[in-house]
């Protein structure tokens, strides 16, 4: 889908480039390509040369010419062939050459030298990573642009928030659908497929504003609820939560939630666990105001969980940014730093897990405003029964 050029976002990036003395950024991670040009590629062979002044250059496959014309905010698009009968090299070699040519006139260039993870392209099955040659293709006057891009992306523009609301709407609608159709005895994998199918089927074309919606899920029920495990074939329990760890990607912008359904009446021990975890969750949300400490957010959540009788939990992060990736800076970590700023979108996700299986996690995405936080999903937190 075409969105108007987000000058607020691009001007902020250029201001940071000027402060750091960078003449251009050369990026290849699909989420950064999307962030700077609105183009979400198919295979990860794309690159962008984004100058401090002038028109950016988008490098992409010639098969994506129609997509680039429809999506991209730049008119300077240079195409590479995926297969060239006169050039047997892999396509990434041609990407490098076109990016080198576009960057040649610039002095100090910023590359994603410390990029740890990246959002995938629209194919998502095979994330494409660049080789040694990419990082040595732009001379010696290069700097690490990853911190600059992380800072810029942490605070969302009005357009970015609008795009993330679409992903949140789709995720909530998919949960409403699953609430109606989840049945005891259904396999966890069947519940996950039901959720994913709704996201892709109904989310693509959502309100005529989403070109492609993709869903990603981990689903566990009752004793199957654990951290960092794959969805299995255990049956959905009638009186225990079925936990949906879910992401929606709508044209490159994401949401990240954890929602809980129970087809019948929730067992008493789970109701007690929900009560304890909800108190920690509310305490975390009350903390999330402009100027508040990110390390303190992590500390207060973990202290609250310890006070509830579960010290050392959870093993996963309890808060992170969401935007052009499902997990992106900032992260709340006691060993880190930083403050919460107005315009950030944070996933808050405290969890408590029982030895041997079972437990609960609460998670939604929250826009930080001057007065506190705004929940972006309409689907309830806690365990939704019946």
């Amino acid at each position: 889908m075409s969105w108007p050029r987000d000058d607020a976002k691009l001007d902020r990036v250029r201001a940071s480039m000027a402060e750091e003395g960078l003449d251009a950024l050369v990026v290849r991670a699909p989420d950064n390509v999307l962030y700077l040009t609105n183009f979400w590629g198919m295979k990860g062979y794309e690159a962008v040369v984004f100058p401090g002044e002038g028109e950016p250059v988008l490098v992409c496959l010639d098969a994506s010419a129609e997509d680039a014309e429809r999506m991209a905010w730049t008119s300077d698009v240079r195409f590479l062939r995926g297969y060239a009968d006169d050039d047997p090299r892999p396509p990434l070699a041609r990407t490098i050459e076109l990016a080198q040519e576009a960057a040649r006139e610039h002095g100090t260039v910023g590359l994603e030298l410390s990029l740890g993870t990246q959002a995938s392209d629209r194919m998502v099955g095979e994330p494409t990573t660049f080789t040694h040659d990419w990082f040595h293709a732009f001379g010696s006057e290069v700097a690490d642009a990853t911190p600059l891009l992380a800072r810029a992306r942490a605070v969302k523009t009005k357009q970015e928030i609008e795009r993330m609301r679409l992903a949140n709407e789709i995720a909530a609608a998919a949960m409403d659908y699953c609430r109606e159709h989840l049945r005891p005895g259904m396999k966890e994998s069947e519940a996950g497929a039901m959720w994913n199918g709704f996201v892709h089927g109904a989310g693509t074309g959502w309100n005529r504003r989403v070109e492609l919606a993709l869903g990603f899920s981990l689903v566990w029920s009752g004793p199957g609820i654990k951290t960092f495990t794959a969805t299995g074939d255990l049956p959905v329990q009638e009186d225990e939560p079925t936990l949906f760890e879910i992401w929606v990607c709508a044209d490159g912008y994401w949401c990240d939630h954890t929602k809980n359904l129970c087809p019948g009446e929730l067992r008493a021990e789970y109701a007690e666990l929900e009560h304890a975890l909800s108190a920690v969750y509310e305490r975390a949300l009350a903390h999330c105001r402009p100027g508040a400490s990110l390390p303190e957010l992590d500390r207060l959540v973990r202290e609250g969980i310890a006070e509830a009788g579960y010290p050392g939990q959870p093993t996963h992060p309890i808060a992170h940014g969401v935007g052009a990736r499902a997990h992106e800076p900032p992260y709340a970590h006691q060993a880190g730093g930083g403050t919460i700023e107005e315009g950030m979108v944070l996933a808050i996700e405290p969890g408590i897990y029982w030895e041997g299986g079972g437990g609960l996690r609460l998670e939604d995405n929250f826009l930080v405003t001057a007065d506190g936080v705004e929940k972006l999903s309409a689907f309830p937190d806690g365990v939704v029964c019946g």
Side-chain angles (χ1 to χ4, degrees):
M1 175 179 170
S2 177
W3 287 83
R5 191 176 63 196
D6 194 348
D7 287 321
K9 178 170 68 174
L10 303 184
D11 289 347
R12 184 166 65 223
V13 173
R14 287 193 164 105
S16 295
M17 291 169 62
E19 289 175 3
E20 299 193 15
L22 296 179
D23 298 304
L25 304 180
V26 184
V27 304
R28 51 87 184 172
D31 45 325
N32 283 328
V33 172
L34 172 81
Y35 187 76
L36 295 174
T37 69
N38 196 50
F39 181 79
W40 189 26
M42 287 295 297
K43 287 293 294 177
Y45 296 148
E46 297 75 27
V48 172
V49 178
F50 185 83
E53 297 181 3
E55 186 81 357
V57 175
L58 169 65
V59 176
C60 73
L61 286 167
D62 55 3
S64 298
E66 291 182 9
D67 290 343
E69 183 176 2
R70 184 178 66 259
M71 297 180 194
W73 290 332
T74 180
S75 59
D76 192 346
V77 183
R78 305 182 188 182
F79 297 104
L80 64 124
R81 288 179 289 172
Y83 170 75
D85 52 9
D86 59 345
D87 181 359
R89 297 177 302 164
L92 289 180
R94 293 186 279 282
T95 300
I96 293 173
E97 289 181 351
L98 289 170
Q100 280 180 309
E101 180 183 340
R104 187 168 290 121
E105 63 187 75
H106 301 293
T108 303
V109 168
L111 300 176
E112 302 147 310
L113 296 178
S114 59
L115 183 70
T117 60
Q118 65 183 46
S120 191
D121 49 74
R122 282 191 283 173
M123 289 294 292
V124 304
E126 312 185 292
T128 300
T129 56
F130 278 47
T131 61
H132 172 278
D133 292 343
W134 171 264
F135 297 102
H136 294 79
F138 300 95
S140 59
E141 289 190 53
V142 297
D144 185 9
T146 300
L148 181 157
L149 287 163
R151 289 193 301 273
R153 285 174 50 171
V155 176
K156 304 305 187 279
T157 63
K158 182 179 179 180
Q159 183 188 112
E160 290 184 285
I161 293 165
E162 184 179 358
R163 297 175 72 162
M164 294 179 71
R165 288 188 192 279
L166 292 170
N168 276 267
E169 287 175 13
I170 295 166
M175 285 307 305
D176 283 330
Y177 180 82
C178 289
R179 181 182 184 181
E180 294 177 9
H181 294 87
L182 189 71
R183 298 289 180 267
M186 180 183 286
K187 291 192 299 184
E188 293 169 330
S189 57
E190 290 174 320
M194 179 169 60
W195 188 88
N196 290 348
F198 184 96
V199 170
H200 189 41
T204 297
W206 184 262
N207 291 340
R208 299 178 181 267
R209 303 189 68 201
V210 175
E211 184 171 307
L212 176 63
L214 296 170
F216 304 84
S217 68
L218 293 171
V219 177
W220 312 300
S221 190
I225 297 174
K226 300 175 183 179
T227 56
F228 302 114
T229 58
T231 298
D233 63 354
L234 294 176
V236 167
Q237 302 297 308
E238 183 173 11
D239 57 356
E240 299 180 61
T242 296
L243 185 153
F244 288 72
E245 162 61 37
I246 47 177
W247 300 350
V248 170
C249 181
D251 291 339
Y253 273 83
W254 297 68
C255 69
D256 177 7
H257 302 160
T258 303
K259 301 300 179 185
N260 303 273
L261 299 177
C262 180
E265 183 175 347
L266 190 65
R267 284 168 43 185
E269 58 265 41
Y270 269 109
E272 293 173 6
L273 184 64
E274 178 186 13
H275 178 75
L277 191 57
S278 294
V280 176
Y281 193 52
E282 292 302 322
R283 185 179 172 191
L285 299 183
H287 177 83
C288 293
R289 293 176 175 273
S293 164
L294 280 164
E296 183 60 25
L297 174 60
D298 184 67
R299 187 175 298 109
L300 70 86
V301 167
R302 296 186 187 280
E303 287 177 352
I305 290 174
E307 290 168 4
Y310 299 92
Q313 292 207 38
T315 59
H316 56 73
I318 58 87
H320 59 84
V322 186
R325 277 183 15 218
H327 294 77
E328 64 180 34
Y331 291 90
H333 195 288
Q334 293 174 42
T339 58
I340 296 168
E341 298 180 39
E342 184 174 355
M344 288 180 173
V345 176
L346 300 177
I348 310 294
E349 52 175 317
I352 294 174
Y353 308 93
W354 292 331
E355 185 71 28
L360 201 60
R361 178 158 75 231
L362 306 180
E363 181 184 13
D364 211 299
N365 299 162
F366 295 88
L367 170 64
V368 180
T369 72
D371 301 319
V373 292
E374 176 192 347
K375 184 174 181 287
L376 295 184
S377 170
F379 197 82
D381 295 319
V383 182
V384 177
C385 296

